[in-house]
Amino acid sequence: MPKFDFLKTFKIAFGCCLGYTIAQLLGLNYSTSVITITLLSILNTKKETLTTARKRLLAFFGAAFLSFFIFQILYDSLLSIFLYLIFYYLYCQYFKCVEGFSMSTVLMLHLWKAGIYTIPALLNEFFLMLIGIFMAILMNLYMPNRIKLIRAAQKDMERQISTILFTMSKSIFHDKVDENIASQLEKLQTTLAETYVHAKYTENNFIFKDMSYYSSYIQMRFSQYELLKRIHINLPRLKETYHQTALVSTFMNITAVSMHEYNNAEDLLHYLSTLRIKFKAAPLPKTRIEFESRAILFEIVNELEEILMLKKQFADNLTPYQIETFWKHQNT
């Protein structure tokens, strides 16, 4: 069954009707145009709405300037439309405001069709644009907060990653890899993708507050997910178990326990350096199978190190504001 966005539906309907009513009260000509402008301006987030509003206003001023001169010289001829569209689209491309091209052109065609090219006529079109944009901004002042949903999803994906590592730590001793790992990885991918949508939505609905933490966090987990997939591919290549197998399995378990958000991974990276020393101190492999298996184990260790390095880099790149807002208060 399709998901309906009832809130946005109401915003469009109410905003369009309110905008039209205001245009009528102000006695503006072509007041129905406000409805089109409003419904095209109510976007999914506050930042999208404000950014598009700025571009459409910039586009409108270019359209007003060009039409005022071109239409007055060539009047309502087809040539005037031809030249207007060429120069105006070039203007919109240069100033990166193509989003306003169609809307402003429709408004300028009111002047072209009526054959009126006066300042009051331009102001009429300007107020139509302004009312429509204002209605969009007004309707999007309230946006549902998804932070609780994101926080819950973060905990869920951390649990999923821990579960995957625990399962891998057992599968590392067997020729046949646990079939649950593939389904667990697929579930993790779904969680990451869905949560990233909510994170970007949240980031783009805070105008004066930096909320990029959540999207950066999920991008970091996405990268870890890719490394887990590589480990999953390597597991079936292990044909025999050795002393190093147990060491890697133990390290996977330790990493799984320490997968929570606020761990900067420094202790685990230190533990990993001691693990590498044990690898180097071990006797050389005696057979080709042992050599290949130990090489795969070493590759898995490298992938685990990358997983930890990603977490450390994420923690190191946090701003003081992000640490204060998203770590200190959440971790008390």
Side-chain angles (χ1 to χ4, degrees), residues 76-128:
D76 58 349
S77 65
L78 194 60
L79 179 61
S80 66
I81 290 294
F82 178 76
L83 292 175
Y84 163 82
L85 291 173
I86 287 178
F87 288 112
Y88 182 44
Y89 196 67
L90 290 173
Y91 167 90
C92 289
Q93 289 180 83
Y94 182 80
F95 289 102
K96 298 179 180 178
C97 56
V98 177
E99 291 88 341
F101 175 78
S102 300
M103 193 174 292
S104 292
T105 297
V106 170
L107 294 174
M108 293 307 108
L109 286 176
H110 292 159
L111 306 181
W112 179 81
K113 187 67 176 176
I116 301 173
Y117 315 108
T118 62
I119 297 297
L122 281 173
L123 285 174
N124 182 88
E125 305 306 317
F126 174 71
F127 283 120
L128 291 175

Side-chain angles (χ1 to χ4, degrees), residues 67-83:
S67 64
F68 189 74
F69 288 100
I70 293 174
F71 293 169
Q72 284 210 90
I73 294 171
L74 299 173
Y75 301 103
D76 58 349
S77 65
L78 194 60
L79 179 61
S80 66
I81 290 294
F82 178 76
L83 292 175

